[in-house]
Amino acid sequence: MQSNQSKEKASKAKGKENQAKASSRSGKQKKKNLEIKRMASSSSSGLTFKLHPLVIVNISDHYTRVKSQLNPPPLTSTSATVNGVENQQQAPRVYGCVMGVQRGRTVEIFNSFELLYDPSTHSLDRPFLKKKQELYKKVFPHFYILGWYSTGSDAQESDMHIHRALMDINESPLYVLLNPAINPAQKDLPVTIYESELHVIDGIPQLIFVRSSYTIETVEAERISVDHVAHLKPSDGGSAATQLAAHLTGIHSAIKMLNSRIRVLHHYLVGMQKGDIPCENSLLRQVSSLLRRLPAIESEKFQDDFLMEYNDTLLITYLAMFTNCSSTMNELVDKFNTAYDRHSRRGGRTAFI
Amino acid sequence: MDIEQKQAELIDHFVKKASAQVGSAIGAVIVEATSHASLFAFSEILAVPTVAELEGTENSVYLEVLRVFAHGTWSDYKSNSGSLPQLLPDQVLKLKQLTVLTLAETNKVLPYDQLMLELDVTNVRELEDFIINECIYAGIVRGKLDQLRRCFEVQFAAGRDLRPGQLGSMIQTLSNWLGTSDNLLISIQEKIKWADTMSELDKKQRKEVEDKVEEVKKSVAVKKLHTVSRPTLTFEGLKRSTLNLVE
């Protein structure tokens, strides 16, 4: 289940940009059981958020681990190791901290770590947080605690307490919410980032959660691992045809991208030739040097090697087919013999072959 | 491309200088530009109007020199050396580097003999030193020197200034490349479709066989064991593993 979930998340996290959904929920729904969900449509602080896939994978991993540890159900009634409230509809909430760098108006969330939630005081484990912060400071001196994360489908009132508690570390912490429900119809990532803003509602200034948009930003190492996880899908499914189709589709999209770029270059040069675009010599030089690299491989030796390998592959496929055929034939003969041997005399009607 | 980036500032600098001066002073600018260690692009300077004005005056030799540096090779210079001024050693070096670039334009594999001929170098050691120190370390070419077969395999060569006619051939090459990649895309799509249809057929066949097996099992359960219906089953089974090479 863990690999499934992270595959799901990772395949969506392949460089997709998430646009802020205009929330239709206005902030004025008051319910009698005091579970007030207040969210504005979009953040007005003007900060741009960049989220790294590592954070998403961390949160998903944490949640999956906790959830799978819950089955079988815990023997003790107070399982303090389990984060969050006791199984609310079998969905434990996990909590943790996110950290990153803030440069000007851009907030980049790099990493996260887990925290224990104390249900009695409704707060996160502060001494541990402090210790972890010090340790991280030694390795990543630029990272700051930017906020905290949790899982669930929506931000809740109790989250505001935790949010307020973190305000002493960071004046405006972030709340990253991951929705662990797998919804195949949903195209975007189930991750939302909330900021807190002071809004005046009914004459009372209150802190409410405001949803913000974010983009996914990857470092090379993250891209490789996300790519790797995303490619795990075919081996699950996989007959030879689907694997082949998946592989070919990958190549197809790569060549398509190359094709579009060459097309752009072509248009540009044609435009330059017609005179629509002023000649830019430096670009022309680069293009000419690029074109000189073609054809990339065209020596006789390459053709020989290529054909040899091709023939080898065909031969081996042929051989495998042969073996298959002969073994099936063998089975057939055995069955035939078994079916007809009973009526033959001893030493008489011999076997089929 | 890093070479272009390195040259961009130099080109700006020289263009400004050239447009600021007139007449014989431009000659000095040209000499300076052609002997500069990292400058390989001269068409911008050629395009400056004050430089073009040199045509026909007594300083037109400098214009000729600039043209040779932009488009010509060392052998061009040697054959015209009567009409062109003496070159400084730096300029000679530069021109030889540009010659290597021109040679790399046509072939990817440059035999040592041809290189030695073009560059006026007599022994292999000097040639290799020249290529390694002046060309590869300068970053204008990248490649492998094959001593056994006495050739230089070029993997990358920086671009020289374009002659007017070359633009057409570049566009031609690009459209060929486009055509090839389009064809490749189509054939990949066909392969994917083929793989899918083949797997569909395969599944259908398996299903048919299994259905038949079920049928026969039922009929066998009703009749006695003397009925000869077994061979058809295994014959179908044979069909499953026949070759399916569609090449």
Side-chain angles (χ1 to χ4, degrees), chain B residues 76-110:
Chain B
D76 289 341
Y77 174 73
K78 274 189 296 180
S79 44
N80 287 342
S81 59
S83 51
L84 298 171
Q86 266 296 46
L87 289 181
L88 304 172
D90 282 338
Q91 290 177 305
V92 172
L93 182 64
K94 173 64 55 77
L95 194 51
K96 288 189 178 172
Q97 285 172 314
L98 293 171
T99 312
V100 171
L101 282 182
T102 315
L103 287 175
E105 258 177 57
T106 36
N107 298 331
K108 292 191 80 178
V109 175
L110 302 170

PDB file of all heavy atoms in Angstrom, chain B residues 76-110:
ATOM      1  N   ASP B  76      43.852  30.127 -47.777  1.00  0.00           N
ATOM      2  CA  ASP B  76      43.385  31.324 -48.483  1.00  0.00           C
ATOM      3  C   ASP B  76      44.354  32.466 -48.269  1.00  0.00           C
ATOM      4  O   ASP B  76      44.698  33.204 -49.192  1.00  0.00           O
ATOM      5  CB  ASP B  76      42.010  31.766 -47.946  1.00  0.00           C
ATOM      6  CG  ASP B  76      40.931  30.807 -48.353  1.00  0.00           C
ATOM      7  OD1 ASP B  76      41.166  30.038 -49.310  1.00  0.00           O
ATOM      8  OD2 ASP B  76      39.871  30.817 -47.713  1.00  0.00           O
ATOM      9  N   TYR B  77      44.783  32.591 -47.037  1.00  0.00           N
ATOM     10  CA  TYR B  77      45.698  33.693 -46.735  1.00  0.00           C
ATOM     11  C   TYR B  77      46.999  33.529 -47.500  1.00  0.00           C
ATOM     12  O   TYR B  77      47.535  34.485 -48.064  1.00  0.00           O
ATOM     13  CB  TYR B  77      45.969  33.759 -45.231  1.00  0.00           C
ATOM     14  CG  TYR B  77      47.015  34.768 -44.897  1.00  0.00           C
ATOM     15  CD1 TYR B  77      46.731  36.127 -44.971  1.00  0.00           C
ATOM     16  CD2 TYR B  77      48.330  34.380 -44.573  1.00  0.00           C
ATOM     17  CE1 TYR B  77      47.688  37.067 -44.718  1.00  0.00           C
ATOM     18  CE2 TYR B  77      49.287  35.327 -44.310  1.00  0.00           C
ATOM     19  CZ  TYR B  77      48.979  36.670 -44.385  1.00  0.00           C
ATOM     20  OH  TYR B  77      49.934  37.605 -44.142  1.00  0.00           O
ATOM     21  N   LYS B  78      47.487  32.286 -47.499  1.00  0.00           N
ATOM     22  CA  LYS B  78      48.776  32.091 -48.162  1.00  0.00           C
ATOM     23  C   LYS B  78      48.694  32.397 -49.641  1.00  0.00           C
ATOM     24  O   LYS B  78      49.608  32.970 -50.220  1.00  0.00           O
ATOM     25  CB  LYS B  78      49.253  30.640 -47.955  1.00  0.00           C
ATOM     26  CG  LYS B  78      49.997  30.439 -46.669  1.00  0.00           C
ATOM     27  CD  LYS B  78      50.630  29.085 -46.596  1.00  0.00           C
ATOM     28  CE  LYS B  78      49.578  28.022 -46.600  1.00  0.00           C
ATOM     29  NZ  LYS B  78      50.162  26.671 -46.519  1.00  0.00           N
ATOM     30  N   SER B  79      47.569  32.022 -50.258  1.00  0.00           N
ATOM     31  CA  SER B  79      47.501  32.255 -51.700  1.00  0.00           C
ATOM     32  C   SER B  79      47.339  33.735 -52.015  1.00  0.00           C
ATOM     33  O   SER B  79      47.719  34.193 -53.080  1.00  0.00           O
ATOM     34  CB  SER B  79      46.352  31.447 -52.308  1.00  0.00           C
ATOM     35  OG  SER B  79      45.209  31.551 -51.496  1.00  0.00           O
ATOM     36  N   ASN B  80      46.804  34.515 -51.064  1.00  0.00           N
ATOM     37  CA  ASN B  80      46.650  35.956 -51.305  1.00  0.00           C
ATOM     38  C   ASN B  80      47.668  36.793 -50.572  1.00  0.00           C
ATOM     39  O   ASN B  80      47.492  38.004 -50.450  1.00  0.00           O
ATOM     40  CB  ASN B  80      45.263  36.410 -50.839  1.00  0.00           C
ATOM     41  CG  ASN B  80      44.193  35.939 -51.781  1.00  0.00           C
ATOM     42  OD1 ASN B  80      44.477  35.580 -52.904  1.00  0.00           O
ATOM     43  ND2 ASN B  80      42.960  35.943 -51.301  1.00  0.00           N
ATOM     44  N   SER B  81      48.706  36.147 -50.056  1.00  0.00           N
ATOM     45  CA  SER B  81      49.565  36.891 -49.133  1.00  0.00           C
ATOM     46  C   SER B  81      50.223  38.091 -49.790  1.00  0.00           C
ATOM     47  O   SER B  81      50.705  38.989 -49.107  1.00  0.00           O
ATOM     48  CB  SER B  81      50.631  35.982 -48.527  1.00  0.00           C
ATOM     49  OG  SER B  81      51.412  35.428 -49.559  1.00  0.00           O
ATOM     50  N   GLY B  82      50.204  38.118 -51.106  1.00  0.00           N
ATOM     51  CA  GLY B  82      50.778  39.304 -51.736  1.00  0.00           C
ATOM     52  C   GLY B  82      49.974  40.546 -51.409  1.00  0.00           C
ATOM     53  O   GLY B  82      50.511  41.601 -51.079  1.00  0.00           O
ATOM     54  N   SER B  83      48.642  40.417 -51.491  1.00  0.00           N
ATOM     55  CA  SER B  83      47.832  41.620 -51.326  1.00  0.00           C
ATOM     56  C   SER B  83      47.486  41.931 -49.885  1.00  0.00           C
ATOM     57  O   SER B  83      46.964  42.994 -49.580  1.00  0.00           O
ATOM     58  CB  SER B  83      46.532  41.467 -52.126  1.00  0.00           C
ATOM     59  OG  SER B  83      45.933  40.230 -51.798  1.00  0.00           O
ATOM     60  N   LEU B  84      47.782  41.003 -48.995  1.00  0.00           N
ATOM     61  CA  LEU B  84      47.378  41.232 -47.607  1.00  0.00           C
ATOM     62  C   LEU B  84      48.593  41.564 -46.755  1.00  0.00           C
ATOM     63  O   LEU B  84      49.701  41.104 -47.030  1.00  0.00           O
ATOM     64  CB  LEU B  84      46.684  39.993 -47.046  1.00  0.00           C
ATOM     65  CG  LEU B  84      45.391  39.608 -47.761  1.00  0.00           C
ATOM     66  CD1 LEU B  84      44.923  38.256 -47.275  1.00  0.00           C
ATOM     67  CD2 LEU B  84      44.327  40.654 -47.507  1.00  0.00           C
ATOM     68  N   PRO B  85      48.361  42.365 -45.714  1.00  0.00           N
ATOM     69  CA  PRO B  85      49.501  42.735 -44.865  1.00  0.00           C
ATOM     70  C   PRO B  85      50.019  41.546 -44.077  1.00  0.00           C
ATOM     71  O   PRO B  85      49.342  40.531 -43.935  1.00  0.00           O
ATOM     72  CB  PRO B  85      48.916  43.801 -43.933  1.00  0.00           C
ATOM     73  CG  PRO B  85      47.459  43.520 -43.916  1.00  0.00           C
ATOM     74  CD  PRO B  85      47.119  43.001 -45.260  1.00  0.00           C
ATOM     75  N   GLN B  86      51.209  41.720 -43.533  1.00  0.00           N
ATOM     76  CA  GLN B  86      51.805  40.690 -42.707  1.00  0.00           C
ATOM     77  C   GLN B  86      50.984  40.478 -41.451  1.00  0.00           C
ATOM     78  O   GLN B  86      50.492  41.440 -40.863  1.00  0.00           O
ATOM     79  CB  GLN B  86      53.210  41.127 -42.275  1.00  0.00           C
ATOM     80  CG  GLN B  86      54.299  40.629 -43.154  1.00  0.00           C
ATOM     81  CD  GLN B  86      54.416  39.111 -43.141  1.00  0.00           C
ATOM     82  OE1 GLN B  86      53.419  38.385 -43.246  1.00  0.00           O
ATOM     83  NE2 GLN B  86      55.626  38.634 -43.023  1.00  0.00           N
ATOM     84  N   LEU B  87      50.871  39.241 -41.073  1.00  0.00           N
ATOM     85  CA  LEU B  87      50.090  38.965 -39.878  1.00  0.00           C
ATOM     86  C   LEU B  87      51.008  38.800 -38.674  1.00  0.00           C
ATOM     87  O   LEU B  87      52.091  38.238 -38.782  1.00  0.00           O
ATOM     88  CB  LEU B  87      49.278  37.676 -40.046  1.00  0.00           C
ATOM     89  CG  LEU B  87      48.103  37.728 -41.008  1.00  0.00           C
ATOM     90  CD1 LEU B  87      47.425  36.385 -41.024  1.00  0.00           C
ATOM     91  CD2 LEU B  87      47.126  38.818 -40.621  1.00  0.00           C
ATOM     92  N   LEU B  88      50.512  39.267 -37.548  1.00  0.00           N
ATOM     93  CA  LEU B  88      51.233  39.028 -36.306  1.00  0.00           C
ATOM     94  C   LEU B  88      51.128  37.548 -35.939  1.00  0.00           C
ATOM     95  O   LEU B  88      50.210  36.861 -36.394  1.00  0.00           O
ATOM     96  CB  LEU B  88      50.600  39.836 -35.167  1.00  0.00           C
ATOM     97  CG  LEU B  88      50.485  41.332 -35.372  1.00  0.00           C
ATOM     98  CD1 LEU B  88      49.651  41.914 -34.235  1.00  0.00           C
ATOM     99  CD2 LEU B  88      51.860  41.966 -35.381  1.00  0.00           C
ATOM    100  N   PRO B  89      52.052  37.059 -35.115  1.00  0.00           N
ATOM    101  CA  PRO B  89      51.992  35.634 -34.734  1.00  0.00           C
ATOM    102  C   PRO B  89      50.665  35.262 -34.073  1.00  0.00           C
ATOM    103  O   PRO B  89      50.136  34.177 -34.301  1.00  0.00           O
ATOM    104  CB  PRO B  89      53.144  35.479 -33.725  1.00  0.00           C
ATOM    105  CG  PRO B  89      54.000  36.668 -33.878  1.00  0.00           C
ATOM    106  CD  PRO B  89      53.250  37.723 -34.604  1.00  0.00           C
ATOM    107  N   ASP B  90      50.106  36.189 -33.301  1.00  0.00           N
ATOM    108  CA  ASP B  90      48.806  35.897 -32.693  1.00  0.00           C
ATOM    109  C   ASP B  90      47.751  35.690 -33.760  1.00  0.00           C
ATOM    110  O   ASP B  90      46.900  34.801 -33.662  1.00  0.00           O
ATOM    111  CB  ASP B  90      48.354  37.073 -31.806  1.00  0.00           C
ATOM    112  CG  ASP B  90      49.081  37.059 -30.485  1.00  0.00           C
ATOM    113  OD1 ASP B  90      49.573  35.982 -30.115  1.00  0.00           O
ATOM    114  OD2 ASP B  90      49.154  38.120 -29.840  1.00  0.00           O
ATOM    115  N   GLN B  91      47.802  36.527 -34.773  1.00  0.00           N
ATOM    116  CA  GLN B  91      46.809  36.401 -35.832  1.00  0.00           C
ATOM    117  C   GLN B  91      46.982  35.109 -36.598  1.00  0.00           C
ATOM    118  O   GLN B  91      46.013  34.467 -37.002  1.00  0.00           O
ATOM    119  CB  GLN B  91      46.920  37.591 -36.792  1.00  0.00           C
ATOM    120  CG  GLN B  91      46.453  38.879 -36.176  1.00  0.00           C
ATOM    121  CD  GLN B  91      46.651  40.049 -37.120  1.00  0.00           C
ATOM    122  OE1 GLN B  91      47.762  40.282 -37.584  1.00  0.00           O
ATOM    123  NE2 GLN B  91      45.603  40.749 -37.413  1.00  0.00           N
ATOM    124  N   VAL B  92      48.262  34.728 -36.786  1.00  0.00           N
ATOM    125  CA  VAL B  92      48.527  33.473 -37.486  1.00  0.00           C
ATOM    126  C   VAL B  92      47.895  32.319 -36.720  1.00  0.00           C
ATOM    127  O   VAL B  92      47.222  31.445 -37.282  1.00  0.00           O
ATOM    128  CB  VAL B  92      50.046  33.264 -37.636  1.00  0.00           C
ATOM    129  CG1 VAL B  92      50.345  31.899 -38.181  1.00  0.00           C
ATOM    130  CG2 VAL B  92      50.635  34.329 -38.537  1.00  0.00           C
ATOM    131  N   LEU B  93      48.121  32.362 -35.410  1.00  0.00           N
ATOM    132  CA  LEU B  93      47.556  31.304 -34.573  1.00  0.00           C
ATOM    133  C   LEU B  93      46.040  31.269 -34.692  1.00  0.00           C
ATOM    134  O   LEU B  93      45.421  30.218 -34.875  1.00  0.00           O
ATOM    135  CB  LEU B  93      47.960  31.581 -33.117  1.00  0.00           C
ATOM    136  CG  LEU B  93      47.501  30.575 -32.096  1.00  0.00           C
ATOM    137  CD1 LEU B  93      48.144  29.256 -32.393  1.00  0.00           C
ATOM    138  CD2 LEU B  93      47.889  31.029 -30.705  1.00  0.00           C
ATOM    139  N   LYS B  94      45.439  32.454 -34.603  1.00  0.00           N
ATOM    140  CA  LYS B  94      43.988  32.554 -34.690  1.00  0.00           C
ATOM    141  C   LYS B  94      43.481  32.001 -36.005  1.00  0.00           C
ATOM    142  O   LYS B  94      42.507  31.243 -36.064  1.00  0.00           O
ATOM    143  CB  LYS B  94      43.603  34.032 -34.534  1.00  0.00           C
ATOM    144  CG  LYS B  94      42.173  34.378 -34.762  1.00  0.00           C
ATOM    145  CD  LYS B  94      41.267  33.738 -33.750  1.00  0.00           C
ATOM    146  CE  LYS B  94      41.647  34.044 -32.345  1.00  0.00           C
ATOM    147  NZ  LYS B  94      41.270  35.367 -31.923  1.00  0.00           N
ATOM    148  N   LEU B  95      44.171  32.363 -37.079  1.00  0.00           N
ATOM    149  CA  LEU B  95      43.727  31.911 -38.389  1.00  0.00           C
ATOM    150  C   LEU B  95      43.821  30.401 -38.498  1.00  0.00           C
ATOM    151  O   LEU B  95      42.969  29.740 -39.085  1.00  0.00           O
ATOM    152  CB  LEU B  95      44.567  32.587 -39.481  1.00  0.00           C
ATOM    153  CG  LEU B  95      44.003  32.482 -40.894  1.00  0.00           C
ATOM    154  CD1 LEU B  95      42.560  32.929 -40.923  1.00  0.00           C
ATOM    155  CD2 LEU B  95      44.834  33.336 -41.831  1.00  0.00           C
ATOM    156  N   LYS B  96      44.866  29.830 -37.910  1.00  0.00           N
ATOM    157  CA  LYS B  96      44.985  28.374 -37.944  1.00  0.00           C
ATOM    158  C   LYS B  96      43.862  27.707 -37.156  1.00  0.00           C
ATOM    159  O   LYS B  96      43.295  26.697 -37.584  1.00  0.00           O
ATOM    160  CB  LYS B  96      46.352  27.957 -37.395  1.00  0.00           C
ATOM    161  CG  LYS B  96      47.471  28.281 -38.340  1.00  0.00           C
ATOM    162  CD  LYS B  96      48.778  27.667 -37.892  1.00  0.00           C
ATOM    163  CE  LYS B  96      49.850  27.982 -38.920  1.00  0.00           C
ATOM    164  NZ  LYS B  96      51.182  27.592 -38.495  1.00  0.00           N
ATOM    165  N   GLN B  97      43.510  28.300 -36.023  1.00  0.00           N
ATOM    166  CA  GLN B  97      42.398  27.735 -35.260  1.00  0.00           C
ATOM    167  C   GLN B  97      41.118  27.768 -36.085  1.00  0.00           C
ATOM    168  O   GLN B  97      40.347  26.805 -36.132  1.00  0.00           O
ATOM    169  CB  GLN B  97      42.184  28.537 -33.973  1.00  0.00           C
ATOM    170  CG  GLN B  97      43.208  28.285 -32.914  1.00  0.00           C
ATOM    171  CD  GLN B  97      43.052  29.250 -31.756  1.00  0.00           C
ATOM    172  OE1 GLN B  97      42.891  30.454 -31.963  1.00  0.00           O
ATOM    173  NE2 GLN B  97      43.112  28.735 -30.558  1.00  0.00           N
ATOM    174  N   LEU B  98      40.908  28.905 -36.747  1.00  0.00           N
ATOM    175  CA  LEU B  98      39.711  29.024 -37.559  1.00  0.00           C
ATOM    176  C   LEU B  98      39.735  28.021 -38.700  1.00  0.00           C
ATOM    177  O   LEU B  98      38.701  27.518 -39.127  1.00  0.00           O
ATOM    178  CB  LEU B  98      39.591  30.454 -38.100  1.00  0.00           C
ATOM    179  CG  LEU B  98      39.328  31.477 -37.008  1.00  0.00           C
ATOM    180  CD1 LEU B  98      39.443  32.886 -37.559  1.00  0.00           C
ATOM    181  CD2 LEU B  98      37.950  31.269 -36.433  1.00  0.00           C
ATOM    182  N   THR B  99      40.926  27.715 -39.205  1.00  0.00           N
ATOM    183  CA  THR B  99      41.041  26.720 -40.261  1.00  0.00           C
ATOM    184  C   THR B  99      40.565  25.358 -39.774  1.00  0.00           C
ATOM    185  O   THR B  99      39.851  24.646 -40.488  1.00  0.00           O
ATOM    186  CB  THR B  99      42.497  26.602 -40.723  1.00  0.00           C
ATOM    187  OG1 THR B  99      43.016  27.900 -40.954  1.00  0.00           O
ATOM    188  CG2 THR B  99      42.603  25.775 -41.969  1.00  0.00           C
ATOM    189  N   VAL B 100      40.969  25.033 -38.551  1.00  0.00           N
ATOM    190  CA  VAL B 100      40.519  23.746 -38.003  1.00  0.00           C
ATOM    191  C   VAL B 100      39.001  23.709 -37.941  1.00  0.00           C
ATOM    192  O   VAL B 100      38.363  22.706 -38.269  1.00  0.00           O
ATOM    193  CB  VAL B 100      41.129  23.526 -36.601  1.00  0.00           C
ATOM    194  CG1 VAL B 100      40.507  22.330 -35.935  1.00  0.00           C
ATOM    195  CG2 VAL B 100      42.620  23.352 -36.701  1.00  0.00           C
ATOM    196  N   LEU B 101      38.401  24.835 -37.530  1.00  0.00           N
ATOM    197  CA  LEU B 101      36.943  24.888 -37.452  1.00  0.00           C
ATOM    198  C   LEU B 101      36.324  24.662 -38.828  1.00  0.00           C
ATOM    199  O   LEU B 101      35.325  23.956 -38.966  1.00  0.00           O
ATOM    200  CB  LEU B 101      36.496  26.241 -36.914  1.00  0.00           C
ATOM    201  CG  LEU B 101      36.612  26.447 -35.418  1.00  0.00           C
ATOM    202  CD1 LEU B 101      36.094  27.811 -35.040  1.00  0.00           C
ATOM    203  CD2 LEU B 101      35.860  25.388 -34.676  1.00  0.00           C
ATOM    204  N   THR B 102      36.901  25.280 -39.842  1.00  0.00           N
ATOM    205  CA  THR B 102      36.345  25.112 -41.176  1.00  0.00           C
ATOM    206  C   THR B 102      36.451  23.677 -41.638  1.00  0.00           C
ATOM    207  O   THR B 102      35.526  23.136 -42.237  1.00  0.00           O
ATOM    208  CB  THR B 102      37.088  26.008 -42.182  1.00  0.00           C
ATOM    209  OG1 THR B 102      37.255  27.287 -41.613  1.00  0.00           O
ATOM    210  CG2 THR B 102      36.306  26.100 -43.473  1.00  0.00           C
ATOM    211  N   LEU B 103      37.606  23.056 -41.357  1.00  0.00           N
ATOM    212  CA  LEU B 103      37.750  21.661 -41.751  1.00  0.00           C
ATOM    213  C   LEU B 103      36.730  20.790 -41.041  1.00  0.00           C
ATOM    214  O   LEU B 103      36.183  19.852 -41.622  1.00  0.00           O
ATOM    215  CB  LEU B 103      39.164  21.173 -41.415  1.00  0.00           C
ATOM    216  CG  LEU B 103      40.257  21.707 -42.326  1.00  0.00           C
ATOM    217  CD1 LEU B 103      41.600  21.254 -41.819  1.00  0.00           C
ATOM    218  CD2 LEU B 103      40.039  21.212 -43.736  1.00  0.00           C
ATOM    219  N   ALA B 104      36.463  21.126 -39.774  1.00  0.00           N
ATOM    220  CA  ALA B 104      35.502  20.320 -39.017  1.00  0.00           C
ATOM    221  C   ALA B 104      34.097  20.463 -39.564  1.00  0.00           C
ATOM    222  O   ALA B 104      33.230  19.656 -39.262  1.00  0.00           O
ATOM    223  CB  ALA B 104      35.531  20.733 -37.552  1.00  0.00           C
ATOM    224  N   GLU B 105      33.886  21.511 -40.363  1.00  0.00           N
ATOM    225  CA  GLU B 105      32.555  21.708 -40.941  1.00  0.00           C
ATOM    226  C   GLU B 105      32.187  20.592 -41.875  1.00  0.00           C
ATOM    227  O   GLU B 105      31.056  20.124 -41.904  1.00  0.00           O
ATOM    228  CB  GLU B 105      32.555  23.012 -41.748  1.00  0.00           C
ATOM    229  CG  GLU B 105      31.901  24.175 -41.064  1.00  0.00           C
ATOM    230  CD  GLU B 105      32.005  25.432 -41.894  1.00  0.00           C
ATOM    231  OE1 GLU B 105      31.543  25.397 -43.046  1.00  0.00           O
ATOM    232  OE2 GLU B 105      32.565  26.407 -41.391  1.00  0.00           O
ATOM    233  N   THR B 106      33.171  20.183 -42.696  1.00  0.00           N
ATOM    234  CA  THR B 106      32.817  19.229 -43.740  1.00  0.00           C
ATOM    235  C   THR B 106      32.914  17.788 -43.267  1.00  0.00           C
ATOM    236  O   THR B 106      32.018  16.991 -43.523  1.00  0.00           O
ATOM    237  CB  THR B 106      33.741  19.426 -44.946  1.00  0.00           C
ATOM    238  OG1 THR B 106      35.026  19.769 -44.467  1.00  0.00           O
ATOM    239  CG2 THR B 106      33.212  20.535 -45.825  1.00  0.00           C
ATOM    240  N   ASN B 107      33.996  17.438 -42.571  1.00  0.00           N
ATOM    241  CA  ASN B 107      34.131  16.060 -42.132  1.00  0.00           C
ATOM    242  C   ASN B 107      34.131  15.975 -40.629  1.00  0.00           C
ATOM    243  O   ASN B 107      34.582  16.888 -39.957  1.00  0.00           O
ATOM    244  CB  ASN B 107      35.471  15.466 -42.602  1.00  0.00           C
ATOM    245  CG  ASN B 107      35.556  15.454 -44.089  1.00  0.00           C
ATOM    246  OD1 ASN B 107      34.560  15.371 -44.759  1.00  0.00           O
ATOM    247  ND2 ASN B 107      36.781  15.565 -44.590  1.00  0.00           N
ATOM    248  N   LYS B 108      33.662  14.839 -40.152  1.00  0.00           N
ATOM    249  CA  LYS B 108      33.758  14.647 -38.720  1.00  0.00           C
ATOM    250  C   LYS B 108      35.078  13.993 -38.351  1.00  0.00           C
ATOM    251  O   LYS B 108      35.536  14.113 -37.231  1.00  0.00           O
ATOM    252  CB  LYS B 108      32.610  13.779 -38.224  1.00  0.00           C
ATOM    253  CG  LYS B 108      31.290  14.488 -38.346  1.00  0.00           C
ATOM    254  CD  LYS B 108      30.222  13.745 -37.614  1.00  0.00           C
ATOM    255  CE  LYS B 108      30.336  14.080 -36.136  1.00  0.00           C
ATOM    256  NZ  LYS B 108      29.301  13.442 -35.360  1.00  0.00           N
ATOM    257  N   VAL B 109      35.651  13.289 -39.291  1.00  0.00           N
ATOM    258  CA  VAL B 109      36.925  12.622 -39.023  1.00  0.00           C
ATOM    259  C   VAL B 109      37.980  13.280 -39.890  1.00  0.00           C
ATOM    260  O   VAL B 109      37.916  13.227 -41.120  1.00  0.00           O
ATOM    261  CB  VAL B 109      36.823  11.118 -39.357  1.00  0.00           C
ATOM    262  CG1 VAL B 109      38.172  10.477 -39.202  1.00  0.00           C
ATOM    263  CG2 VAL B 109      35.806  10.469 -38.469  1.00  0.00           C
ATOM    264  N   LEU B 110      38.936  13.961 -39.258  1.00  0.00           N
ATOM    265  CA  LEU B 110      39.947  14.687 -40.012  1.00  0.00           C
ATOM    266  C   LEU B 110      41.266  13.929 -39.964  1.00  0.00           C
ATOM    267  O   LEU B 110      41.843  13.780 -38.892  1.00  0.00           O
ATOM    268  CB  LEU B 110      40.148  16.078 -39.402  1.00  0.00           C
ATOM    269  CG  LEU B 110      38.906  16.954 -39.338  1.00  0.00           C
ATOM    270  CD1 LEU B 110      39.189  18.181 -38.498  1.00  0.00           C
ATOM    271  CD2 LEU B 110      38.499  17.363 -40.735  1.00  0.00           C
TER     272      LEU B 110
END
